Amino acid sequence: AAGTWHVDDGSQLVFEQSFQQVYGSFQLDNISVAVDGGRLRGRDLRFTVNNTVYNANIQGDRMSGTAQGREPRAFSARRVSN
């Protein structure tokens, strides 16, 4: 999960990983917010950004899943660097 990911909405996720723990930042329009509670189990990743819970499945350099905030929505991202 470690690396820089470009999200389909134009934002960016920067993850670091230590075993199953994932931490880093969510960046959009020069604003950076911490990623909380990042946990990787196999290919399944769960993390929270600003009270929105993301559940994703990682397949190589692609990630897709749901973001559960005020309204649930689908999201996807592509890893651009490790």
Side-chain angles (χ1 to χ4, degrees):
T4 300
W5 297 80
H6 285 183
V7 183
D8 56 0
D9 65 2
S11 62
Q12 181 171 281
L13 290 162
V14 179
F15 288 138
E16 294 183 42
Q17 181 179 345
S18 177
F19 301 99
Q20 289 86 13
Q21 303 258 339
V22 177
Y23 49 95
S25 63
F26 171 89
Q27 302 168 353
L28 179 63
D29 297 331
N30 296 321
I31 298 171
S32 182
V33 179
V35 169
D36 295 317
R39 187 88 173 149
L40 184 66
R41 294 197 177 155
R43 293 188 307 212
D44 295 326
L45 175 63
R46 180 182 175 97
F47 60 95
T48 302
V49 174
N50 200 25
N51 295 323
T52 298
V53 178
Y54 291 81
N55 289 288
N57 183 271
I58 297 173
Q59 301 274 337
D61 287 336
R62 300 276 181 189
M63 174 190 321
S64 62
T66 59
Q68 181 67 45
R70 285 183 235 131
E71 296 285 327
R73 64 178 175 86
F75 86 98
S76 63
R78 179 177 53 88
R79 182 170 21 210
V80 293
S81 69
N82 288 340

Coordinates of all heavy atoms in Angstrom, one line a residue:
A1 N 0.8 -1.2 0.0 CA 0.0 0.0 0.0 C 0.9 1.3 0.0 O 0.4 2.3 -0.3 CB -0.9 0.0 1.2
A2 N 2.1 1.1 0.4 CA 3.0 2.3 0.5 C 3.2 2.9 -0.9 O 3.2 2.3 -1.9 CB 4.3 1.9 1.0
G3 N 3.2 4.3 -0.9 CA 3.5 5.0 -2.1 C 2.5 6.2 -2.3 O 1.8 6.5 -1.4
T4 N 2.6 6.8 -3.5 CA 1.8 7.9 -3.8 C 0.7 7.4 -4.8 O 1.0 6.8 -5.8 CB 2.6 9.0 -4.5 OG1 3.6 9.5 -3.5 CG2 1.8 10.2 -4.9
W5 N -0.5 7.8 -4.4 CA -1.7 7.3 -5.2 C -2.5 8.6 -5.7 O -2.8 9.4 -4.9 CB -2.6 6.5 -4.3 CG -2.1 5.2 -3.8 CD1 -1.2 5.1 -2.8 CD2 -2.3 3.9 -4.3 NE1 -0.9 3.8 -2.6 CE2 -1.6 3.0 -3.5 CE3 -3.1 3.4 -5.4 CZ2 -1.6 1.6 -3.8 CZ3 -3.1 2.1 -5.6 CH2 -2.4 1.2 -4.8
H6 N -2.8 8.6 -7.0 CA -3.6 9.6 -7.5 C -5.1 9.1 -7.5 O -5.4 8.1 -8.1 CB -3.2 10.0 -9.0 CG -2.0 10.8 -9.0 ND1 -1.4 11.3 -10.2 CD2 -1.1 11.2 -8.0 CE1 -0.3 11.9 -9.9 NE2 -0.1 11.9 -8.6
V7 N -5.9 9.8 -6.8 CA -7.4 9.4 -6.7 C -8.1 10.0 -7.9 O -7.8 11.1 -8.4 CB -7.9 9.9 -5.3 CG1 -9.3 9.5 -5.1 CG2 -7.0 9.4 -4.2
D8 N -9.2 9.4 -8.3 CA -10.0 9.8 -9.4 C -10.6 11.2 -9.3 O -11.0 11.8 -10.3 CB -11.1 8.7 -9.8 CG -12.0 8.4 -8.6 OD1 -11.8 9.0 -7.5 OD2 -12.9 7.6 -8.8
D9 N -10.8 11.7 -8.1 CA -11.3 13.0 -7.9 C -10.3 14.1 -7.9 O -10.6 15.3 -7.6 CB -12.1 13.1 -6.6 CG -11.2 13.0 -5.3 OD1 -10.0 12.8 -5.5 OD2 -11.8 13.0 -4.2
G10 N -9.0 13.8 -8.2 CA -8.0 14.8 -8.3 C -7.2 15.0 -7.1 O -6.2 15.7 -7.1
S11 N -7.5 14.3 -6.0 CA -6.7 14.3 -4.8 C -5.6 13.3 -4.9 O -5.5 12.6 -5.8 CB -7.6 14.0 -3.6 OG -8.2 12.7 -3.7
Q12 N -4.8 13.3 -3.8 CA -3.6 12.4 -3.8 C -3.5 11.8 -2.4 O -3.8 12.5 -1.4 CB -2.4 13.2 -4.1 CG -1.1 12.4 -4.1 CD 0.0 13.3 -4.7 OE1 0.1 13.4 -5.8 NE2 0.8 13.8 -3.8
L13 N -3.2 10.5 -2.3 CA -2.9 9.9 -1.0 C -1.5 9.5 -1.0 O -1.0 9.0 -2.0 CB -3.8 8.6 -0.9 CG -5.3 8.8 -0.7 CD1 -6.0 7.5 -1.1 CD2 -5.5 9.2 0.7
V14 N -0.8 9.8 0.1 CA 0.6 9.4 0.3 C 0.7 8.5 1.5 O 0.4 8.9 2.6 CB 1.5 10.6 0.4 CG1 3.0 10.2 0.6 CG2 1.4 11.6 -0.7
F15 N 1.0 7.2 1.2 CA 1.0 6.2 2.3 C 2.4 5.7 2.6 O 3.2 5.5 1.7 CB 0.2 5.0 1.9 CG -1.3 5.1 1.8 CD1 -2.0 4.6 0.8 CD2 -2.0 5.8 2.8 CE1 -3.4 4.7 0.7 CE2 -3.4 5.9 2.8 CZ -4.1 5.4 1.7
E16 N 2.6 5.5 3.9 CA 3.7 4.8 4.4 C 3.2 3.5 5.1 O 2.0 3.6 5.5 CB 4.6 5.6 5.3 CG 5.2 6.8 4.6 CD 6.1 7.6 5.5 OE1 6.9 6.9 6.3 OE2 6.1 8.8 5.5
Q17 N 3.9 2.5 5.1 CA 3.4 1.2 5.7 C 4.4 0.6 6.6 O 5.6 0.5 6.3 CB 3.0 0.3 4.5 CG 2.5 -1.0 5.0 CD 2.1 -1.9 3.8 OE1 2.0 -1.4 2.6 NE2 1.9 -3.2 4.0
S18 N 4.0 0.1 7.7 CA 4.8 -0.7 8.6 C 4.0 -2.0 8.9 O 3.0 -1.9 9.7 CB 5.1 0.1 9.9 OG 5.8 -0.7 10.8
F19 N 4.3 -3.1 8.3 CA 3.5 -4.3 8.4 C 2.1 -4.0 8.0 O 1.9 -3.5 6.9 CB 3.7 -4.9 9.8 CG 5.1 -5.2 10.2 CD1 5.8 -4.4 11.0 CD2 5.7 -6.4 9.7 CE1 7.1 -4.7 11.3 CE2 7.0 -6.7 10.0 CZ 7.7 -5.8 10.9
Q20 N 1.1 -4.2 8.8 CA -0.3 -4.0 8.4 C -0.7 -2.6 8.7 O -1.8 -2.2 8.3 CB -1.2 -5.0 9.1 CG -1.1 -6.4 8.6 CD 0.0 -7.2 9.3 OE1 0.5 -6.7 10.3 NE2 0.4 -8.3 8.8
Q21 N 0.1 -1.8 9.4 CA -0.3 -0.4 9.7 C 0.0 0.5 8.5 O 1.1 0.5 8.0 CB 0.5 0.1 10.9 CG 0.3 -0.8 12.1 CD -0.7 -0.2 13.1 OE1 -0.9 1.0 13.1 NE2 -1.2 -1.0 14.0
V22 N -1.0 1.4 8.2 CA -0.8 2.3 7.1 C -1.1 3.7 7.6 O -2.0 3.9 8.3 CB -1.7 2.0 5.9 CG1 -1.6 3.0 4.8 CG2 -1.4 0.6 5.4
Y23 N -0.2 4.6 7.3 CA -0.4 6.0 7.7 C 0.1 6.9 6.6 O 0.8 6.5 5.7 CB 0.4 6.3 9.0 CG 1.8 5.8 9.0 CD1 2.8 6.7 8.7 CD2 2.1 4.5 9.3 CE1 4.2 6.2 8.7 CE2 3.4 4.0 9.3 CZ 4.5 4.9 9.0 OH 5.7 4.5 9.0
G24 N -0.2 8.2 6.7 CA 0.2 9.1 5.7 C -0.7 10.3 5.6 O -1.2 10.8 6.6
S25 N -0.9 10.8 4.4 CA -1.7 12.0 4.2 C -2.6 12.0 3.0 O -2.3 11.3 2.0 CB -0.8 13.3 4.2 OG 0.0 13.2 3.0
F26 N -3.7 12.8 3.0 CA -4.6 13.0 1.9 C -4.4 14.4 1.5 O -4.4 15.3 2.4 CB -6.0 12.8 2.4 CG -7.1 13.2 1.4 CD1 -7.6 12.3 0.5 CD2 -7.6 14.4 1.5 CE1 -8.6 12.7 -0.4 CE2 -8.6 14.8 0.6 CZ -9.1 13.9 -0.3
Q27 N -4.2 14.7 0.2 CA -3.8 16.0 -0.2 C -4.7 16.5 -1.4 O -4.9 15.7 -2.3 CB -2.4 16.1 -0.7 CG -1.4 15.7 0.4 CD 0.0 15.4 -0.1 OE1 0.3 15.4 -1.3 NE2 0.9 15.2 0.9
L28 N -5.3 17.7 -1.2 CA -6.1 18.3 -2.3 C -6.0 19.8 -2.2 O -6.1 20.4 -1.1 CB -7.6 17.8 -2.1 CG -8.6 18.4 -3.1 CD1 -8.3 17.9 -4.5 CD2 -10.0 18.0 -2.6
D29 N -5.7 20.4 -3.3 CA -5.6 21.8 -3.4 C -4.7 22.4 -2.4 O -5.1 23.4 -1.6 CB -7.0 22.5 -3.4 CG -7.9 22.1 -4.5 OD1 -7.4 21.8 -5.6 OD2 -9.1 22.1 -4.3
N30 N -3.5 21.9 -2.2 CA -2.5 22.4 -1.3 C -2.9 22.3 0.2 O -2.3 23.0 1.0 CB -2.1 23.8 -1.6 CG -1.4 23.9 -2.9 OD1 -0.6 23.1 -3.3 ND2 -1.7 25.0 -3.7
I31 N -3.9 21.5 0.5 CA -4.3 21.2 1.8 C -4.0 19.7 2.1 O -4.3 18.8 1.3 CB -5.8 21.4 2.1 CG1 -6.1 22.9 1.8 CG2 -6.3 21.0 3.4 CD1 -7.6 23.2 1.8
S32 N -3.4 19.4 3.3 CA -3.0 18.1 3.6 C -3.7 17.7 4.9 O -3.7 18.5 5.9 CB -1.5 18.0 3.8 OG -1.1 16.7 4.1
V33 N -4.3 16.5 4.9 CA -5.0 16.0 6.1 C -4.5 14.6 6.4 O -4.2 13.8 5.5 CB -6.5 15.9 5.9 CG1 -7.3 15.4 7.0 CG2 -7.1 17.3 5.5
A34 N -4.3 14.3 7.7 CA -3.7 13.0 8.1 C -4.7 11.9 7.8 O -5.9 12.0 7.9 CB -3.4 13.1 9.6
V35 N -4.1 10.7 7.5 CA -4.8 9.5 7.3 C -4.8 8.8 8.7 O -3.8 8.7 9.3 CB -4.2 8.6 6.3 CG1 -4.8 7.2 6.3 CG2 -4.3 9.2 4.9
D36 N -6.0 8.5 9.2 CA -6.1 7.8 10.5 C -6.5 6.4 10.4 O -7.3 6.0 9.5 CB -7.2 8.5 11.4 CG -6.8 10.0 11.7 OD1 -5.6 10.2 12.0 OD2 -7.7 10.8 11.6
G37 N -6.1 5.6 11.3 CA -6.6 4.2 11.5 C -6.3 3.3 10.3 O -7.1 2.4 10.0
G38 N -5.3 3.6 9.5 CA -5.0 2.8 8.3 C -4.6 1.3 8.7 O -3.7 1.1 9.5
R39 N -5.3 0.4 8.0 CA -5.0 -1.0 8.3 C -5.1 -1.8 7.1 O -6.1 -1.7 6.3 CB -6.1 -1.5 9.4 CG -5.8 -2.9 9.9 CD -4.9 -2.8 11.0 NE -4.8 -4.1 11.6 CZ -3.7 -4.6 12.2 NH1 -2.7 -3.8 12.4 NH2 -3.7 -5.8 12.8
L40 N -4.1 -2.6 6.8 CA -4.1 -3.5 5.6 C -4.3 -4.9 6.0 O -3.5 -5.4 6.9 CB -2.8 -3.3 4.8 CG -2.6 -4.0 3.5 CD1 -3.6 -3.5 2.5 CD2 -1.2 -3.9 3.0
R41 N -5.2 -5.6 5.4 CA -5.4 -7.1 5.7 C -5.5 -7.8 4.3 O -6.5 -7.6 3.6 CB -6.7 -7.3 6.4 CG -6.6 -6.7 7.8 CD -7.6 -7.2 8.7 NE -7.4 -6.6 10.1 CZ -8.2 -6.4 11.0 NH1 -9.5 -6.8 10.8 NH2 -7.9 -5.9 12.1
G42 N -4.4 -8.4 4.0 CA -4.3 -9.0 2.6 C -4.2 -7.9 1.6 O -3.4 -7.0 1.7
R43 N -5.2 -7.8 0.7 CA -5.3 -6.8 -0.2 C -6.4 -5.7 0.1 O -6.6 -4.8 -0.6 CB -5.7 -7.3 -1.6 CG -4.6 -8.2 -2.2 CD -4.8 -8.6 -3.6 NE -6.1 -9.2 -3.8 CZ -6.4 -10.1 -4.6 NH1 -5.5 -10.5 -5.5 NH2 -7.6 -10.6 -4.7
D44 N -7.0 -5.9 1.3 CA -8.0 -5.0 1.8 C -7.5 -3.9 2.7 O -6.8 -4.2 3.6 CB -9.1 -5.7 2.5 CG -9.9 -6.7 1.6 OD1 -10.0 -6.4 0.4 OD2 -10.3 -7.8 2.0
L45 N -7.8 -2.7 2.3 CA -7.3 -1.5 3.1 C -8.4 -0.7 3.6 O -9.4 -0.4 2.9 CB -6.4 -0.6 2.1 CG -5.9 0.7 2.7 CD1 -4.9 0.5 3.8 CD2 -5.2 1.5 1.6
R46 N -8.3 -0.3 4.9 CA -9.3 0.6 5.5 C -8.6 1.7 6.2 O -7.6 1.5 6.8 CB -10.1 -0.3 6.5 CG -11.2 0.5 7.2 CD -11.9 -0.3 8.3 NE -12.8 0.4 9.1 CZ -14.1 0.5 8.9 NH1 -14.6 -0.2 7.9 NH2 -14.9 1.2 9.7
F47 N -9.1 2.9 5.9 CA -8.5 4.1 6.6 C -9.6 5.2 6.6 O -10.6 5.1 6.0 CB -7.3 4.6 5.8 CG -7.5 5.0 4.4 CD1 -7.8 6.3 4.0 CD2 -7.5 4.0 3.4 CE1 -8.0 6.7 2.7 CE2 -7.7 4.4 2.0 CZ -8.0 5.7 1.7
T48 N -9.3 6.2 7.5 CA -10.2 7.3 7.7 C -9.5 8.6 7.4 O -8.4 8.8 7.8 CB -10.7 7.4 9.1 OG1 -11.4 6.1 9.4 CG2 -11.7 8.5 9.3
V49 N -10.2 9.5 6.6 CA -9.7 10.9 6.4 C -10.9 11.8 6.7 O -11.9 11.7 6.1 CB -9.3 11.0 4.9 CG1 -8.9 12.5 4.6 CG2 -8.1 10.1 4.6
N50 N -10.7 12.7 7.7 CA -11.7 13.7 8.0 C -13.1 13.2 8.2 O -14.0 13.6 7.5 CB -11.6 14.8 6.9 CG -12.2 16.1 7.4 OD1 -12.2 16.4 8.6 ND2 -12.7 16.9 6.4
N51 N -13.2 12.1 9.0 CA -14.4 11.4 9.3 C -15.1 10.7 8.1 O -16.2 10.3 8.2 CB -15.5 12.4 9.9 CG -15.0 13.0 11.2 OD1 -14.4 12.2 12.0 ND2 -15.3 14.2 11.4
T52 N -14.4 10.5 7.0 CA -14.8 9.6 5.9 C -14.0 8.3 6.0 O -12.8 8.4 6.0 CB -14.6 10.3 4.6 OG1 -15.4 11.5 4.5 CG2 -15.0 9.4 3.4
V53 N -14.8 7.2 6.0 CA -14.1 5.9 6.1 C -14.0 5.3 4.7 O -15.0 5.2 4.0 CB -14.9 5.0 7.1 CG1 -14.3 3.6 7.1 CG2 -15.0 5.6 8.5
Y54 N -12.8 4.9 4.4 CA -12.5 4.3 3.1 C -12.3 2.9 3.2 O -11.5 2.5 4.1 CB -11.3 5.0 2.4 CG -11.5 6.4 2.0 CD1 -11.4 7.5 2.9 CD2 -11.7 6.7 0.7 CE1 -11.6 8.8 2.5 CE2 -11.9 8.0 0.3 CZ -11.8 9.1 1.2 OH -12.0 10.4 0.8
N55 N -12.9 2.0 2.4 CA -12.7 0.6 2.3 C -12.3 0.3 0.9 O -13.1 0.6 0.0 CB -13.9 -0.2 2.7 CG -14.2 -0.1 4.2 OD1 -13.5 -0.7 5.0 ND2 -15.2 0.6 4.6
A56 N -11.1 -0.2 0.7 CA -10.6 -0.4 -0.7 C -10.0 -1.8 -0.8 O -9.5 -2.4 0.1 CB -9.6 0.6 -1.0
N57 N -9.9 -2.2 -2.1 CA -9.2 -3.5 -2.4 C -8.1 -3.0 -3.4 O -8.3 -2.3 -4.3 CB -10.1 -4.4 -3.1 CG -9.4 -5.7 -3.4 OD1 -8.9 -5.9 -4.5 ND2 -9.5 -6.7 -2.5
I58 N -6.8 -3.5 -3.1 CA -5.7 -3.2 -3.9 C -5.4 -4.3 -4.8 O -5.2 -5.5 -4.4 CB -4.5 -2.8 -3.0 CG1 -4.8 -1.6 -2.1 CG2 -3.2 -2.6 -3.8 CD1 -3.7 -1.3 -1.1
Q59 N -5.2 -4.0 -6.1 CA -4.8 -5.0 -7.1 C -3.6 -4.4 -7.8 O -3.8 -3.5 -8.7 CB -6.0 -5.2 -8.1 CG -7.2 -5.7 -7.5 CD -7.3 -7.2 -7.4 OE1 -6.5 -7.9 -8.1 NE2 -8.0 -7.7 -6.4
G60 N -2.4 -4.8 -7.4 CA -1.2 -4.2 -8.0 C -1.1 -2.7 -7.8 O -1.1 -2.3 -6.6
D61 N -1.1 -1.9 -8.8 CA -1.0 -0.4 -8.7 C -2.4 0.2 -8.8 O -2.5 1.4 -9.2 CB -0.1 0.1 -9.8 CG 1.4 -0.2 -9.4 OD1 1.7 -0.4 -8.2 OD2 2.2 -0.2 -10.3
R62 N -3.5 -0.5 -8.6 CA -4.8 0.0 -8.7 C -5.5 -0.2 -7.3 O -5.4 -1.3 -6.7 CB -5.7 -0.6 -9.8 CG -5.1 -0.4 -11.1 CD -5.5 0.9 -11.7 NE -4.9 1.1 -13.0 CZ -5.0 2.2 -13.7 NH1 -5.6 3.2 -13.2 NH2 -4.5 2.3 -14.9
M63 N -6.4 0.7 -6.9 CA -7.1 0.6 -5.7 C -8.6 1.1 -6.0 O -8.8 2.0 -6.7 CB -6.5 1.5 -4.6 CG -7.3 1.6 -3.4 SD -6.8 2.9 -2.2 CE -5.0 2.9 -2.3
S64 N -9.6 0.3 -5.5 CA -10.9 0.7 -5.7 C -11.8 0.3 -4.5 O -11.4 -0.6 -3.8 CB -11.5 0.2 -7.0 OG -11.6 -1.2 -7.0
G65 N -12.8 1.1 -4.3 CA -13.7 0.8 -3.1 C -14.7 1.8 -2.9 O -15.1 2.5 -3.8
T66 N -15.1 2.0 -1.6 CA -16.1 2.9 -1.2 C -15.6 3.9 -0.2 O -14.7 3.6 0.6 CB -17.3 2.2 -0.7 OG1 -17.0 1.5 0.5 CG2 -18.0 1.3 -1.7
A67 N -16.1 5.1 -0.2 CA -15.9 6.1 0.8 C -17.2 6.4 1.5 O -18.2 6.8 0.8 CB -15.3 7.4 0.1
Q68 N -17.2 6.2 2.8 CA -18.5 6.4 3.5 C -18.4 7.6 4.4 O -17.8 7.6 5.4 CB -18.7 5.2 4.4 CG -20.0 5.2 5.2 CD -21.2 5.2 4.3 OE1 -21.3 4.4 3.4 NE2 -22.2 6.0 4.6
G69 N -18.9 8.7 3.8 CA -19.0 10.0 4.6 C -20.4 10.3 4.7 O -21.2 9.5 5.1
R70 N -20.8 11.6 4.5 CA -22.2 12.0 4.5 C -23.0 11.2 3.5 O -24.1 10.8 3.8 CB -22.4 13.5 4.2 CG -22.0 14.3 5.4 CD -22.2 15.8 5.1 NE -20.9 16.5 5.3 CZ -20.4 17.3 4.4 NH1 -21.0 17.7 3.3 NH2 -19.2 17.9 4.7
E71 N -22.4 11.0 2.3 CA -23.0 10.2 1.3 C -22.0 9.1 0.8 O -20.9 9.4 0.6 CB -23.4 11.0 0.1 CG -24.4 12.1 0.3 CD -25.8 11.5 0.4 OE1 -26.1 10.5 -0.2 OE2 -26.6 12.1 1.2
P72 N -22.4 7.9 0.7 CA -21.5 6.8 0.2 C -21.2 7.1 -1.2 O -22.0 7.5 -2.0 CB -22.2 5.5 0.5 CG -23.6 5.9 0.6 CD -23.7 7.3 1.1
R73 N -19.9 6.8 -1.6 CA -19.6 7.0 -3.0 C -18.4 6.0 -3.3 O -17.7 5.5 -2.5 CB -19.1 8.4 -3.3 CG -17.9 8.8 -2.6 CD -17.5 10.2 -3.0 NE -16.3 10.7 -2.2 CZ -15.1 10.5 -2.5 NH1 -14.8 9.8 -3.6 NH2 -14.1 10.9 -1.8
A74 N -18.3 5.7 -4.6 CA -17.2 4.8 -5.1 C -16.0 5.7 -5.3 O -16.1 6.9 -5.6 CB -17.6 4.1 -6.4
F75 N -14.8 5.1 -5.1 CA -13.6 5.8 -5.5 C -12.6 4.8 -6.0 O -12.7 3.6 -5.8 CB -13.0 6.6 -4.3 CG -12.2 5.7 -3.4 CD1 -10.8 5.8 -3.5 CD2 -12.7 4.9 -2.4 CE1 -10.0 5.0 -2.7 CE2 -11.9 4.1 -1.6 CZ -10.5 4.2 -1.8
S76 N -11.6 5.4 -6.8 CA -10.5 4.5 -7.3 C -9.3 5.4 -7.3 O -9.4 6.6 -7.4 CB -10.9 3.9 -8.7 OG -11.1 5.0 -9.6
A77 N -8.1 4.7 -7.3 CA -6.9 5.4 -7.3 C -5.8 4.6 -8.0 O -6.0 3.3 -8.2 CB -6.4 5.7 -5.9
R78 N -4.8 5.2 -8.5 CA -3.7 4.6 -9.2 C -2.4 5.0 -8.5 O -2.1 6.2 -8.3 CB -3.7 5.0 -10.7 CG -2.6 4.5 -11.5 CD -2.7 4.9 -13.0 NE -2.8 6.4 -13.1 CZ -1.8 7.2 -13.2 NH1 -0.6 6.7 -13.2 NH2 -2.0 8.5 -13.3
R79 N -1.6 4.0 -8.2 CA -0.3 4.3 -7.6 C 0.7 4.8 -8.6 O 0.8 4.2 -9.7 CB 0.3 3.0 -6.9 CG 1.6 3.3 -6.2 CD 2.1 2.2 -5.3 NE 1.6 0.9 -5.6 CZ 1.4 -0.1 -4.7 NH1 1.7 0.1 -3.5 NH2 0.9 -1.2 -5.1
V80 N 1.3 5.9 -8.4 CA 2.3 6.5 -9.3 C 3.7 6.4 -8.9 O 4.6 6.6 -9.7 CB 1.9 8.0 -9.6 CG1 0.6 8.0 -10.3 CG2 1.9 8.8 -8.4
S81 N 4.0 6.1 -7.6 CA 5.3 5.8 -7.1 C 5.3 5.0 -5.8 O 4.3 5.0 -5.1 CB 6.1 7.1 -6.9 OG 5.6 7.8 -5.8
N82 N 6.4 4.3 -5.6 CA 6.4 3.5 -4.3 C 7.2 4.3 -3.3 O 8.1 4.6 -3.1 CB 7.1 2.2 -4.6 CG 6.2 1.3 -5.3 OD1 5.0 1.4 -5.4 ND2 6.8 0.3 -6.0

